[in-house]
Amino acid sequence: MAFGYEFVILNEPEKEQRRYLLGLYSTIAQWSALGVFIFFQAYFLLCWFAERSTSEPPKSPFGRPGKLKSRTWARKFQQALQQVSWWTGKSVRRGWGTRGEWIAGLAWTVWLLFLSIHNTGDDFLHLTKRFGIVGASQLPLHYMLAIKSPYSPIQLITRLSHEQLKVSHQIMGRIIYFLFALHASFYLYFFVQSGFLAQRIRDLDVITGLISITMFTILSTTALEILRRWSYRVFYTTHIILAGLLLEPLFLHVTHIRPYLAEIVAIIVLHEIVRNYSVRRYSGMIGVIPGTNLVEIRIPLISTDKELTWKPGQHVYLSRPTGVSSSSWYESFVTRYRVNPFTIASLPAKDKQLLLVTRTLSGNTKSLADLARSLSAEVGPGETSPSIPIALEGPYGASVHLPDLSKFDRVLLVAGGVGATFLVPVYRSMIEGEGVFRSANPQIRFVWAVRKLAETQWALPSPDGDETESDVTQNAVEVYITRPSGANLQLDNTGDNIELAEAEQLMPFQDETEKARRGMTVHVGRPDIGSIADEVFTNSFGSVAVLACGPQIMTEELRERVGKWVKEGRDVYWHCETFGW
């Protein structure tokens, strides 16, 4: 006897009833996800109806606000929803996820545990088998959450990008591993207590079960944040390999989970098809931005390229280029799996090129920097680096679901370092009258913190000739140089190395400000994020959109200050762009 359960011996009808209940509860567990998707659709419907029913807020940011109409249920619903959304989006602790993630994860865990325990009677083996079958029923959803393509059914239903859904993938992985660990532990307990361990340990189903739980343990361990930060490549490679190999021991383990494995195979095939459809090969130039440890890639476009329709803020996955064309199996593997995300930092339709910018760290980005230097060494001074073959997969990203920013009274953009690659296209789309966010009279403030001014060279093209100086100054990007001293830039705190030849090109801060591009105002020191946010909200009585992309410390500080205005009932749209696992 254990936990109120007993090792009971069942006759054939009772075994058939147990098998029926195992199938029934695993089916309920799998199809329960429909309830989540229905919730999303109901949420979108209520938001749409509430938006149409809400009175129009005052548009002028100056003077006293006009007299508002009495608040309707729709306005109260919007405010309540915003308050709840803001509260659930707050981090429990740095690196521990948000309140909403914890609540959703615990709720789903409790629900699956209920389905694992309910109606099992006092049959210990029934409980043990239920843990396994309920966990297996979640595997197809877990694999589907990993699909990157915007054609993913879950992305289409929830209107969330792969980067936003990856948290759900992580949480689901932990829940599945927890259920499988219970399944394996309870079975081992049963074998030990019954005296069958020595006999059963040689059976195929037990061997494949132990192999499966071992592989799940490796997957879960390498997915821990501390190991991902130590070596993202180890995590990624382990996941790619074991996610496919895992299906074979599961297939041999027991027959009744094979329908779920068939679903997984179909999902993997779908994923490969949509990913291959999204991969295109280009010819582009790669180089190091002088005086920085930033690498830029420029890919020219022609008028017939579909990339001209890409939206601001979207990103692609860049396969590590080698500088030469090759059809070997190794190069094919590199093209397919050794990838890094890069935001499209240009406006393809206007600039007629794709611009990718990244900071040199380690792994692929270091290889990119080494390749850029080797290519530049092959040409003479002042000559352009040769074009090389480049493979991109995409475009992806949540920016396709951003609201029309031109309808907000004020827009605040806050970027840190290369986080501006996401916000610069959005900013330019509004200022230059191009793209989905264009506005005739934008009320926009763009704050950008960089280590030195040289890191902004890629951002803004030369203004149009018919653009007046007042137009440029009114919406100028506020650049804050956080490390104006050249000596401090030779080695930063994160270990990003800068070549000695590049460090020699660094100039004093006074000289840097004279080199500022038109359309920028330069300040020294770190920006006071809190005061900037307060000023934006104080000067506007209407709706405010806040978009951020940068270091976690900066975005958390900004979110904390914006939250004060959310509590006061202000109409706020918040979006923070993040990458990484």
Side-chain angles (χ1 to χ4, degrees):
M1 179 176 292
F3 313 111
Y5 287 83
E6 298 180 359
F7 303 156
V8 299
I9 299 177
L10 305 180
N11 55 35
E12 285 303 320
E14 289 172 334
K15 289 182 180 179
E16 287 296 326
Q17 177 66 14
R18 183 170 67 184
R19 174 54 51 209
Y20 167 77
L21 291 175
L22 288 172
L24 173 64
Y25 279 88
S26 62
T27 301
I28 294 174
Q30 183 176 59
W31 288 94
S32 296
L34 284 180
V36 179
F37 300 146
I38 292 173
F39 169 81
F40 271 93
Q41 300 309 306
Y43 167 80
F44 295 143
L45 180 62
L46 284 173
C47 289
W48 174 82
F49 190 72
E51 184 178 354
R52 292 178 60 90
S53 305
T54 305
S55 58
E56 186 72 16
K59 288 296 181 183
S60 175
F62 308 103
R64 301 178 66 86
K67 185 178 180 180
L68 292 175
K69 299 179 181 179
S70 59
R71 289 184 175 180
T72 63
W73 71 268
R75 180 63 177 170
K76 293 179 180 179
F77 170 78
Q78 280 186 319
Q79 290 185 340
L81 189 64
Q82 183 172 254
Q83 296 278 357
V84 172
S85 176
W86 196 263
W87 183 86
T88 56
K90 182 177 178 58
S91 296
V92 175
R93 186 178 177 182
R94 183 169 297 172
W96 284 44
T98 65
R99 293 169 176 171
E101 293 166 6
W102 276 87
I103 292 173
L106 289 174
W108 197 250
T109 302
V110 170
W111 170 243
L112 294 182
L113 284 176
F114 169 77
L115 294 177
S116 299
I117 298 172
H118 185 257
N119 205 15
T120 56
D122 60 351
D123 186 352
F124 184 85
L125 279 183
H126 189 172
L127 175 67
T128 304
K129 293 174 181 289
R130 190 80 72 84
F131 284 134
I133 194 68
V134 169
S137 72
Q138 303 302 293
L139 284 173
L141 178 61
H142 181 56
Y143 276 73
M144 190 172 291
L145 285 169
I147 295 180
K148 290 181 179 180
S149 172
Y151 300 108
S152 162
I154 295 181
Q155 292 189 41
L156 294 174
I157 293 173
T158 62
R159 303 181 190 177
L160 298 175
S161 69
H162 165 68
E163 287 68 34
Q164 294 168 312
L165 288 173
K166 69 187 177 186
V167 175
S168 300
H169 175 79
Q170 292 172 328
I171 294 173
M172 183 64 73
R174 297 187 185 109
I175 295 174
I176 293 173
Y177 179 66
F178 173 63
L179 292 173
F180 281 168
L182 289 176
H183 173 73
S185 300
F186 277 40
Y187 249 124
L188 287 175
Y189 177 83
F190 169 72
F191 292 152
V192 171
Q193 293 296 318
S194 302
F196 297 150
L197 181 60
Q199 174 185 347
R200 293 285 280 126
I201 200 69
R202 293 172 291 181
D203 294 339
L204 179 63
D205 60 332
V206 177
I207 294 173
T208 54
L210 291 174
I211 293 174
S212 298
I213 196 63
T214 301
M215 296 174 73
F216 271 112
T217 301
I218 295 174
L219 283 169
S220 300
T221 303
T222 55
L224 295 174
E225 183 177 2
I226 186 172
L227 292 179
R228 295 200 311 269
R229 292 187 179 277
W230 170 70
S231 177
Y232 181 85
R233 193 57 52 196
V234 170
F235 152 74
Y236 184 78
T237 304
T238 302
H239 253 62
I240 291 295
I241 295 175
L242 292 188
L245 295 180
L246 180 62
L247 301 183
E248 183 175 351
L250 286 177
F251 181 86
L252 297 174
H253 180 51
V254 287
T255 59
H256 46 273
I257 66 170
R258 290 177 182 176
Y260 300 123
L261 301 181
E263 294 175 7
I264 293 173
V265 171
I267 291 170
I268 292 176
V269 172
L270 171 65
H271 192 190
E272 291 300 314
I273 291 174
V274 295
R275 285 196 67 184
N276 287 330
Y277 175 77
S278 300
V279 174
R280 293 193 64 187
R281 286 164 175 78
Y282 305 83
S283 178
M285 293 167 289
I286 179 174
V288 177
I289 298 178
T292 73
N293 63 346
L294 301 181
V295 178
E296 66 173 1
I297 298 173
R298 296 182 180 271
I299 301 174
L301 301 175
I302 59 177
S303 58
T304 57
D305 286 335
K306 65 177 183 179
E307 289 79 3
L308 298 176
T309 63
W310 289 2
K311 294 180 173 56
Q314 288 187 300
H315 66 269
V316 294
Y317 283 84
L318 169 72
S319 301
R320 192 177 78 180
T322 60
V324 295
S325 298
S326 175
S327 57
S328 69
W329 68 268
Y330 175 76
E331 294 302 332
S332 299
F333 176 84
V334 169
T335 299
R336 189 67 182 82
Y337 292 110
R338 303 201 70 173
V339 297
N340 280 75
F342 288 79
T343 302
I344 303 298
S346 58
L347 291 178
K350 184 171 185 177
D351 302 336
K352 300 299 185 294
Q353 70 170 354
L354 300 179
L355 171 63
L356 312 178
V357 178
T358 186
R359 188 178 301 282
T360 303
L361 297 174
S362 59
N364 281 1
T365 54
K366 185 177 185 302
S367 298
L368 287 174
D370 293 341
L371 176 60
R373 293 188 182 95
S374 64
L375 291 174
S376 62
E378 297 176 0
V379 299
E383 296 183 12
T384 304
S385 298
S387 295
I388 61 172
I390 296 172
L392 300 181
E393 177 190 333
Y396 301 133
S399 64
V400 294
H401 300 304
L402 291 177
D404 184 355
L405 298 179
S406 64
K407 295 182 179 180
F408 289 86
D409 292 275
R410 296 295 293 269
V411 176
L412 173 62
L413 309 177
V414 179
V418 291
T421 55
F422 170 73
L423 293 176
V424 164
V426 175
Y427 167 81
R428 289 184 56 200
S429 184
M430 297 186 69
I431 295 299
E432 300 175 19
E434 296 286 340
V436 294
F437 303 131
R438 59 183 177 273
S439 177
N441 184 28
Q443 295 292 327
I444 183 172
R445 185 170 183 180
F446 188 0
V447 177
W448 184 7
V450 294
R451 298 172 179 177
K452 51 183 177 175
L453 191 62
E455 295 184 0
T456 66
Q457 296 177 46
W458 59 268
L460 300 179
S462 301
D464 297 332
D466 57 351
E467 193 173 16
T468 65
E469 188 66 31
S470 60
D471 293 333
V472 175
T473 305
Q474 179 183 0
N475 295 293
V477 180
E478 302 172 36
V479 176
Y480 286 79
I481 303 177
T482 60
R483 301 183 186 181
S485 175
N488 293 335
L489 289 168
Q490 294 180 12
L491 185 65
D492 64 34
N493 294 331
T494 62
D496 303 341
N497 294 321
I498 298 180
E499 295 295 317
L500 179 62
E502 295 172 346
E504 292 173 351
Q505 300 177 23
L506 301 179
M507 59 189 73
F509 175 69
Q510 292 80 3
D511 295 336
E512 282 194 276
T513 57
E514 297 177 1
K515 297 290 185 178
R517 299 180 69 86
R518 191 178 179 214
M520 292 183 180
T521 59
V522 182
H523 311 269
V524 62
R526 300 183 181 278
D528 188 344
I529 298 298
S531 299
I532 292 172
D534 288 343
E535 184 178 343
V536 169
F537 281 92
T538 301
N539 293 334
S540 173
F541 295 103
S543 57
V544 178
V546 181
L547 286 77
C549 187
Q552 186 177 6
I553 295 177
M554 171 185 284
T555 56
E556 286 183 351
E557 179 184 353
L558 177 62
R559 192 182 190 282
E560 190 71 25
R561 187 55 64 97
V562 173
K564 181 187 74 173
W565 296 95
V566 173
K567 293 178 181 178
E568 294 184 6
R570 293 296 298 271
D571 184 7
V572 178
Y573 174 79
W574 166 266
H575 179 82
C576 182
E577 187 79 359
T578 58
F579 289 100
W581 281 82

